[in-house]
Amino acid sequence: MTAPSASDPALETTDYLVIGSGIAGLRAAIELAPHGRVLIVNKGKPPESASEFAQGGIAVVLDPQDSIEAHISDTLLAGKGLCRPEAVEVLIKEGPDRVRELIRWGARFDREQDRYILAKEAAHRSARILRAQGDATGTEIMRALTGKAQQLQSIRWLVQHFTADLLVEEGRCIGAVLLSESKGVRAVGAKSVVLASGGAGQVYLRTTNPPVATGDGMAMAYRAGCALEDMEFVQFHPTALALPNAPTFLLTEAMRGEGAILRNPRGAAFMKRYDPAAELATRDVVSRAIWQEMQAGNTSHVYLDVTHLNAAFIRKRFPTITQTCLRYGLDITRTPIPVAPSAHFMIGGATTSLTGATSLHGLYAAGEVACSGVHGANRLASNSLLEGLVFGARAGEAVAAASSEHAVEISAIQSALAKRLPEWIARRSVFPAALTTAAYRLKEMMWNQVGIVRDQASLTQALKRLEDWESLSTAPIASQAEGEFKNLVTVALLIVRAALLRKNSIGAHHRSDDPEPGKSPDSRHIAFHGPDRPKGYWA
């Protein structure tokens, strides 16, 4: 990594800085485009984001037989009493218009003649999952949003630039510091910043998330003093491919919606023993049931069986899954699929208002990096793409309205940089091999000790190990690999500290040592407000 010069790192300004290029980031950028210059920063190459890999679909009320009230009710029930009702109402009521807007921009969802095909997924009382190309909904939405954004001349992309930290001056976010392997350190100043950097699945050994999901946005927001909450709620997807030498590939919940059956290694269906809804129970219930079957059988997986369904239907309905499994020698129309739960979605994140505003002036957040309150303790299937669309647009609207009062002040950016520049210059990167080993050990520890089921002893052991790692990574980030490891440590610490504070089991947070499983858990939220308050507090 090239060190910055002692005089001045590369410095540029824009009106609006969007960090991340998934659904939430692109939707915010499109909303901002008529109001000024927009710079989208991505540490990989678009469309490298979790949005691209979303299979199942987007939950939205389009069927006249369905209702907004029913979707709201299903979302609140899945959230186990911890959703913010006003946020859920915004999500569900504004969702149909945002999806229709996406269709006008060219999104091609699956149809039968003159109507859209709507699928049913777990914990939805109605078929309301809009899909594209069978199981490639995220790819299609990203194609439409990217195409729309590329038509707008005021939007510019900066790819393969890692956002190391936010720039804060006098309590306001005024930009960010970026790292590039080829160009070293550079700073971007802006009237406002929209954080849309996605989740943190890579904190676990098994995850459906892409390699870029290292919790960067959550960690840098925390370092900047921004409030974060609900970090104990990590949603594990029940069914990810569990073949040797194969990626942890997501097998959409829609497969169970179409009739797939979960079986243990003896071939017995087991879900009805855990919940009357069987395979259509909420994700937290299904994940724990699979985990318990794996523990009981001392096995690394169970099976998802679609062999009783029509083979032609399966190949047409799930083409991506069918072809991916065939690449690894598995014909899912003939053979049950080995599956195991994997870390999938961060419910917690930077606390936001209904307009995406965080507790740090000038900083907005949308998508998985944010905690808007719509998911509560357990996300309802296929609500996440809708969240990205609705709250990405809302953040863009709010930024455009608020930023008219501000100018990009070069002097403020230079002042913020000057405070950090000596540290940046003095820092040298850690040897990459050491970081790779440490990151693997962290992920393994989180999977074994802070996974689907936790307890006081395992969480306490994890906390001590993470605090040791934290003490070794206090210096400024000097490379992307070092930055990602530091961010993984920060996010893991927040997950563990929150999990220790919440003694009861609820939703995606399950403690085997819950002293009173039948008692209603605390309905408050656990929050953190930057390194100065590392212990967390009840909000």
Side-chain angles (χ1 to χ4, degrees):
M1 178 64 63
T2 306
S5 67
S7 57
D8 207 8
L11 173 61
E12 66 176 287
T13 62
T14 186
D15 293 309
Y16 311 111
L17 175 62
V18 177
I19 301 171
S21 61
I23 285 175
L26 285 179
R27 187 59 192 81
I30 291 167
E31 197 69 27
L32 286 166
H35 304 281
R37 298 167 300 150
V38 182
L39 179 63
I40 301 174
V41 176
N42 191 54
K43 72 175 180 180
K45 289 183 178 180
E48 198 172 354
S49 70
S51 300
E52 171 73 12
F53 297 100
Q55 293 174 359
I58 183 166
V60 63
V61 176
L62 295 180
D63 186 344
Q65 302 302 312
D66 196 6
S67 71
I68 295 293
E69 292 72 25
H71 193 179
I72 289 173
S73 177
D74 290 348
T75 301
L76 293 173
L77 284 170
K80 311 291 185 182
L82 279 180
C83 298
R84 289 194 170 89
E86 64 275 17
V88 174
E89 188 170 327
V90 164
L91 176 76
I92 307 308
K93 286 185 175 180
E94 295 184 9
D97 285 342
R98 291 302 175 200
V99 169
R100 292 187 188 103
E101 177 182 65
L102 198 60
I103 292 168
R104 290 197 302 272
W105 292 344
R108 301 181 297 245
F109 295 106
D110 293 349
R111 300 172 66 104
E112 281 184 351
Q113 297 179 349
D114 61 344
R115 69 178 184 88
Y116 288 104
I117 300 171
L118 298 172
K120 193 172 189 296
E121 288 187 359
H124 288 272
R125 72 186 69 183
S126 301
R128 63 168 70 101
I129 313 303
L130 189 63
R131 66 181 197 246
Q133 300 171 43
D135 57 359
T137 312
T139 300
E140 178 60 16
I141 292 176
M142 286 295 291
R143 185 198 63 77
L145 284 174
T146 301
K148 176 66 175 177
Q150 288 175 339
Q151 295 171 12
L152 303 172
Q153 294 184 353
S154 56
I155 294 179
R156 186 167 66 90
W157 269 267
L158 190 60
V159 301
Q160 294 185 305
H161 276 70
F162 176 73
T163 307
D165 263 320
L166 299 171
L167 281 173
V168 180
E169 184 71 3
E170 297 182 355
R172 180 176 182 81
C173 183
I174 58 171
V177 176
L178 313 178
L179 300 181
S180 164
E181 291 294 337
S182 60
K183 297 179 180 178
V185 179
R186 65 193 300 171
V188 176
K191 294 178 181 180
S192 294
V193 176
V194 178
L195 202 55
S197 53
Q202 289 295 329
V203 80
Y204 286 95
L205 191 61
R206 280 186 57 85
T207 180
T208 62
N209 289 188
V212 295
T214 51
D216 306 327
M218 296 171 191
M220 72 177 81
Y222 176 75
R223 288 194 293 269
C226 183
L228 278 72
E229 67 181 26
D230 290 349
M231 295 298 288
E232 70 272 34
F233 297 120
V234 180
Q235 187 173 69
F236 290 80
H237 197 287
T239 53
L241 187 62
L243 279 174
N245 303 316
T248 309
F249 180 73
L250 175 70
L251 300 170
T252 173
E253 195 153 351
M255 296 186 80
R256 284 176 282 131
E258 297 289 0
I261 298 171
L262 284 164
R263 301 185 185 279
N264 60 28
R266 299 188 306 277
F270 57 84
M271 274 309 306
K272 284 188 177 178
R273 287 193 279 110
Y274 295 92
D275 193 283
E279 277 75 11
L280 295 182
T282 54
R283 287 179 175 179
D284 58 317
V285 171
V286 180
S287 290
R288 284 196 299 276
I290 292 173
W291 182 85
Q292 290 180 39
E293 291 292 313
M294 288 164 54
Q295 295 296 304
N298 192 28
T299 181
S300 61
H301 59 268
V302 296
Y303 293 94
L304 187 68
D305 187 5
V306 295
T307 58
H308 57 289
L309 302 176
N310 180 272
F313 167 76
I314 290 298
R315 285 191 286 266
K316 181 179 179 181
R317 177 67 177 86
F318 303 109
T320 306
I321 292 171
T322 301
Q323 290 303 314
T324 299
C325 289
L326 280 174
R327 284 202 296 271
Y328 294 94
L330 180 66
D331 182 349
I332 66 173
T333 67
R334 296 171 176 267
T335 306
I337 313 164
V339 296
S342 292
H344 182 57
F345 188 88
M346 286 295 299
I347 291 172
T351 310
T352 64
S353 70
L354 296 181
T355 61
T358 72
S359 64
L360 178 61
H361 294 305
L363 181 67
Y364 295 73
E368 194 173 350
V369 71
C371 184
S372 63
V374 298
H375 304 305
N378 184 54
R379 176 174 68 92
L380 182 65
S382 293
N383 268 357
S384 56
L385 294 181
L386 193 68
E387 181 191 20
L389 278 181
V390 169
F391 286 94
R394 280 186 150 247
E397 291 171 354
V399 167
S403 297
S404 61
E405 307 168 5
H406 303 284
V408 182
E409 299 180 10
I410 299 296
S411 60
I413 300 165
Q414 290 173 330
S415 173
L417 275 172
K419 295 171 185 176
R420 300 288 305 278
L421 201 55
E423 298 173 339
W424 286 93
I425 295 169
R427 185 66 178 142
R428 291 294 180 269
S429 181
V430 176
F431 189 59
L435 289 172
T436 300
T437 300
Y440 180 85
R441 289 175 178 167
L442 181 150
K443 296 176 184 187
E444 185 178 46
M445 180 200 69
M446 289 294 290
W447 179 256
N448 290 329
Q449 297 180 278
V450 197
I452 297 167
V453 176
R454 305 97 179 258
D455 61 30
Q456 184 77 18
S458 69
L459 291 168
T460 302
Q461 292 171 4
L463 180 63
K464 184 180 185 305
R465 186 74 181 276
L466 287 165
E467 287 177 338
D468 289 341
W469 272 319
E470 184 185 38
S471 67
L472 299 175
S473 58
T474 56
I477 295 164
S479 70
Q480 179 171 325
E482 188 175 349
E484 289 178 336
F485 177 70
K486 184 173 184 176
N487 293 338
L488 288 173
V489 171
T490 298
V491 172
L493 272 168
L494 295 175
I495 293 170
V496 170
R497 286 170 176 158
L500 279 166
L501 280 172
R502 192 175 291 280
K503 304 294 185 183
N504 290 90
S505 297
I506 178 172
H509 170 67
H510 187 84
R511 288 191 47 154
S512 59
D513 57 350
D514 184 346
E516 299 178 69
K519 182 182 176 182
S520 297
D522 201 311
S523 61
R524 293 175 296 167
H525 298 263
I526 296 169
F528 299 87
H529 209 296
D532 293 339
R533 299 175 74 176
K535 299 299 181 184
Y537 59 96
W538 290 94

